[in-house]
Amino acid sequence: MNLLDVKSFAAGQWIAPGAGARNIANAVTGEVMAQAGNDALDVQAMLDWARTRGGSALRAMTFHQRAKMLKALAQHLSQHKEALYDLSFATGATAKDHLLDIDGGISTLFVFASKGRRELPDAQVYLDGEIEQLSRSGQFLGHHICTPLQGVAVHINAFNFPVWGMLEKLAPTLLAGVPAIVKPATATCYVTELAVRLMLESGILPEGALQLVSGGLGDMLDHLGAQDVVSFTGSADTALKLRSAPHLLKNAVRFVAEQDSLNASILGPDAVSGTPEFDLFIKEVHREMTVKAGQKCTAIRRIIAPQEQVPAVIEALSARLAATVIGDPRAEGTRMGALVSTGQRRDVLEKAALIGSEAERVYGDPESFEVQGADAEKGAFLTPMLFHCADPDGAQRVHDTEAFGPVSTVMGYRDLGHAVALANRGGGSLVASVITHDPQVAREVALGAGAFHGRLYFNNRDSMKESTGHGSPLPHLVHGGPGRAGGGEEMGGVRGVMHYMQRTAIQGSPQILSAIGERWVPGAAEVDAGAHPFTRTFEALQIGETLRAGPRVITLEDIAHFAEFTGDTFYAHMDEEAAARNPFFPGRVAHGYLLLSFAAGLFVEPNEGPVLANTGLDGLRFMKPVVAGDELRVRLTVKQKTPRNEEYGEVRWHVTLTNQDGDKVAEYELLTMNAYGG
């Protein structure tokens, strides 16, 4: 039988397996199907290639250009996902499992592409937070910016998600502008290799942006520096070994870890047998025990239920597990495939034996179970195993031993405080779920358990039709957890991008800050283009371009008419004596929204032109009351420009309203969509 050579992609070349190559067995048949690994990889050349070629090319792009690149990658992979499905069956994954790994990974690329276009600027610098005024006159300011690290991200991934595990790290890394070297777990690296090959052959990525190590990293980590990042997913023991390496410590190399996690699910005290919540709880636990054969970092390992509900939970869950067909993942009707390898099966059985020293196995006999369409002796198949721990307070192994497979333990709690304490005994997890219809139960768990878990998932009859499930990390939200879970964070939308950037405090004049951030700062120079800015197309507008208009005198007739027309007859606008008794007003004052309306009347160009729509305003503040007889003036400045599509872009205008004394009376940011020229 010809073996599949799983290659590495290093410094622009595909490298075949060589010295140190390992055989990889098909998880379903047990037959050796591939080999991967090459001890002769030039790791320094790979790092140099990434830093000099990939890094410089990515940093030359804007966030929006990198976001478009991610979208193109997602579209390309979508066109070839059937090939990935076909290969992934050999890992023991079912067709349903492919949706989590392959489709889930592609979806993550799409989400980061969208967030990059919507939440990041079309620029190379990310502005973090608000400007700090460091001087009385406002001519010395401070701000925080984020810029891409000028090194390389080394991604060390686990075997259970060969596609999603890569893409959930790769998406924020590339969006940040940092090249990546991906090292998948050898057991399933053949699926990752195909995904990488598809991306590289698409021609979408700049040279050096992505490399692949199929097999061991050698001494690559010993060549990393302060501009590099290691992002690791795997066991706590391996994470400890890597993160404590003297070289990484000496050079303060960023290290992100997502490791062992004794995730818990709590059945709320209100979710008794017969309620929709009880049925939902059983469904969620069953799914987390059997999807990917329980080989998920977010799978439910501890099932925490009210003491009086424990028998019903065991009965209902056992019945559902008994109806789960185990077998060849390609076969119709199979609901759970094989573990990734026979070695992994041995490890799960060893860990299950430790759990069994403190808990009774109430479902599943690893020595006797049926397998459909495959040889149970040759493949890495294992039956789900459910344990019951009668004394969770006195137990230790059920709270510190993760059997990374279809294994979970039921335990009872006396009251909700006890349930929270048991959940926290895991020492930190990626996710804990609570199935309850009682908002106060959810609040108590959030306050008591939030510090111990990276994500809290609440579900009930109201949300269950639309919820994504206990075990589904979403790119919008943080994936990671404290303590035992590694103390790291991944994804989380733009938060994940920031892990691959350096936050830097900058100080200087408004003009300096405007130039660095490509965003006009009040106090910086204004630009007079000689024409009304509303007559100028998106690309013609300049940052700092300013229109000044006014004055307009505010009269009592204006105030009364606005009140009558809108129905806003609040006493401060209509009753002189009542308004004077208010500590905020000198007497009868103009409506704030009257001022906004008059400001628009002062700066709007009424004729058809490039301004297509006013889409809103941000940061509105009314700063000083305006009374009858005051004059209103307005300053409108182009603050920032953001392309949205091929037809138009968003313009953010800084608007300041002042009175006859030059005092600010209101300030806000106006958003418009402006057409391109031609």
Side-chain angles (χ1 to χ4, degrees), residues 8-9 41 46 181-184 211-217 220:
S8 297
F9 186 75
L41 290 180
M46 294 181 71
I181 296 174
V182 174
K183 184 263 180 282
Q211 297 178 80
L212 172 71
V213 175
S214 299
L217 280 173
M220 181 179 289

Side-chain angles (χ1 to χ4, degrees), residues 360-656:
E360 176 190 4
R361 192 176 72 231
V362 293
Y363 178 85
D365 182 354
E367 300 298 325
S368 177
F369 61 95
E370 294 185 4
V371 173
Q372 171 184 273
D375 189 331
E377 296 298 321
K378 294 181 179 179
F381 296 97
L382 184 64
T383 183
M385 289 182 284
L386 182 65
F387 290 84
H388 172 229
C389 181
D391 181 20
D393 293 322
Q396 182 61 39
R397 299 286 78 83
V398 298
H399 299 298
D400 69 9
T401 301
E402 182 183 25
F404 202 72
V407 180
S408 195
T409 304
V410 181
M411 58 194 75
Y413 67 83
R414 299 181 297 274
D415 53 43
L416 196 55
H418 185 215
V420 169
L422 290 176
N424 294 349
R425 282 281 301 279
S429 81
L430 297 171
V431 55
S433 58
V434 184
I435 307 301
T436 180
H437 199 240
D438 186 340
Q440 290 307 310
V441 169
R443 174 177 166 77
E444 186 173 339
V445 175
L447 292 174
F452 285 80
H453 308 279
R455 175 165 56 95
L456 291 177
Y457 166 86
F458 298 96
N459 202 2
N460 56 35
R461 68 191 74 180
D462 299 330
S463 55
M464 62 185 186
K465 290 184 179 179
E466 297 182 355
S467 64
T468 51
H470 163 104
S472 298
L474 298 174
H476 317 69
L477 301 175
V478 165
H479 177 54
R484 183 186 179 89
E489 289 185 357
E490 295 174 338
M491 299 195 295
V494 172
R495 296 173 187 83
V497 179
M498 296 303 110
H499 294 317
Y500 299 94
M501 306 188 80
Q502 175 62 45
R503 183 182 292 105
T504 303
I506 60 171
Q507 296 171 283
S509 68
Q511 191 71 15
I512 293 294
L513 267 60
S514 294
I516 293 173
E518 296 182 290
R519 184 172 184 170
W520 185 80
V521 174
E526 299 173 9
V527 176
D528 181 5
H532 194 293
F534 278 22
T535 66
R536 291 163 57 73
T537 59
F538 177 84
E539 69 273 23
L541 284 170
Q542 303 176 59
I543 300 296
E545 191 168 327
T546 299
L547 172 71
R548 293 179 178 269
R552 174 166 180 165
V553 177
I554 308 298
T555 67
L556 279 176
E557 289 76 13
D558 292 330
I559 298 172
H561 177 70
F562 191 84
E564 179 183 357
F565 184 71
T566 63
D568 180 359
T569 56
F570 183 61
Y571 71 87
H573 310 307
M574 305 303 294
D575 188 325
E576 181 70 29
E577 293 182 357
R581 290 192 291 270
N582 187 310
F584 290 101
F585 304 124
R588 193 173 173 185
V589 298
H591 304 70
Y593 297 112
L594 168 62
L595 303 180
L596 297 187
S597 299
F598 281 179
L602 289 171
F603 65 64
V604 163
E605 161 58 46
N607 297 310
E608 182 180 6
V611 177
L612 304 176
N614 173 346
T615 58
L617 55 86
D618 291 338
L620 171 62
R621 292 186 300 151
F622 296 114
M623 305 157 82
K624 187 172 184 177
V626 173
V627 300
D630 281 350
E631 295 180 354
L632 184 68
R633 291 176 170 82
V634 62
R635 182 188 67 195
L636 178 76
T637 303
V638 177
K639 183 173 184 176
Q640 187 176 28
K641 296 164 54 180
T642 305
R644 289 303 180 203
N645 58 34
E646 301 302 319
E647 298 180 9
Y648 56 82
E650 179 186 88
V651 180
R652 182 176 290 268
W653 309 79
H654 186 272
V655 186
T656 304

Side-chain angles (χ1 to χ4, degrees), residues 63-331:
F63 287 108
H64 282 207
Q65 289 170 330
R66 297 193 287 259
K68 291 178 181 178
M69 177 183 72
L70 292 183
K71 183 177 180 180
L73 285 176
Q75 291 171 329
H76 184 75
L77 287 174
S78 294
Q79 295 169 2
H80 297 86
K81 62 184 180 182
E82 292 294 336
L84 292 167
Y85 291 166
D86 190 59
L87 193 57
S88 187
F89 280 119
T91 70
T94 66
K96 190 173 182 179
D97 294 337
H98 299 339
L99 299 180
L100 294 175
D101 182 28
I102 297 164
D103 290 66
I106 294 171
S107 176
T108 297
L109 284 178
F110 275 123
V111 169
F112 273 97
S114 176
K115 284 188 166 290
R117 292 289 302 279
R118 294 187 175 277
E119 299 179 28
L120 295 172
D122 188 31
Q124 296 162 317
V125 173
Y126 176 76
L127 303 176
D128 182 25
E130 299 300 320
I131 289 175
E132 299 286 345
Q133 185 166 319
L134 305 177
S135 67
R136 181 173 298 178
S137 69
Q139 284 300 308
F140 185 63
L141 306 172
H143 206 180
H144 289 98
I145 65 170
C146 296
T147 54
L149 293 172
Q150 297 187 22
V152 60
V154 179
H155 295 165
I156 305 172
N157 299 324
F159 66 78
N160 51 338
F161 286 96
V163 177
W164 177 84
M166 170 181 63
L167 297 181
E168 63 97 5
K169 288 183 173 73
L170 190 61
T173 302
L174 294 178
L175 186 54
V178 176
I181 296 174
V182 174
K183 184 263 180 282
T186 304
T188 56
C189 66
Y190 50 91
V191 183
T192 309
E193 191 245 36
L194 176 57
V196 169
R197 187 178 294 275
L198 289 169
M199 288 189 285
L200 292 174
E201 290 177 351
S202 72
I204 295 167
L205 288 168
E207 189 177 66
L210 175 61
Q211 297 178 80
L212 172 71
V213 175
S214 299
L217 280 173
D219 65 348
M220 181 179 289
L221 300 188
D222 293 337
H223 297 265
L224 301 184
Q227 290 293 308
D228 303 312
V229 183
V230 177
S231 183
F232 170 83
T233 299
S235 72
D237 289 341
T238 303
L240 177 61
K241 178 182 178 181
L242 294 177
R243 78 192 319 163
S244 60
H247 180 82
L248 297 188
L249 295 175
K250 179 182 178 181
N251 290 279
V253 177
R254 299 187 189 199
F255 191 96
V256 181
E258 186 254 283
Q259 56 193 46
D260 297 359
S261 182
L262 273 297
N263 310 298
S265 187
I266 299 174
L267 179 65
D270 59 302
V272 299
S273 181
T275 63
E277 283 71 32
F278 183 90
D279 295 340
L280 172 63
F281 183 78
I282 298 301
K283 179 181 179 181
E284 289 262 13
V285 173
H286 171 264
R287 178 170 58 199
E288 293 306 312
M289 287 185 69
T290 57
V291 168
K292 296 287 288 186
Q295 300 168 114
K296 291 174 61 182
C297 56
T298 52
I300 295 170
R301 307 300 180 192
R302 295 174 301 144
I303 306 163
I304 304 173
Q307 189 64 55
E308 60 274 16
Q309 294 295 320
V310 167
V313 168
I314 292 174
E315 180 181 2
L317 187 53
S318 296
R320 199 170 182 108
L321 291 171
T324 302
V325 177
I326 305 169
D328 183 344
R330 293 179 183 269

Side-chain angles (χ1 to χ4, degrees), residues 651-664:
V651 180
R652 182 176 290 268
W653 309 79
H654 186 272
V655 186
T656 304
L657 279 57
T658 55
N659 63 16
Q660 64 278 1
D661 299 320
D663 297 331
K664 289 183 183 180

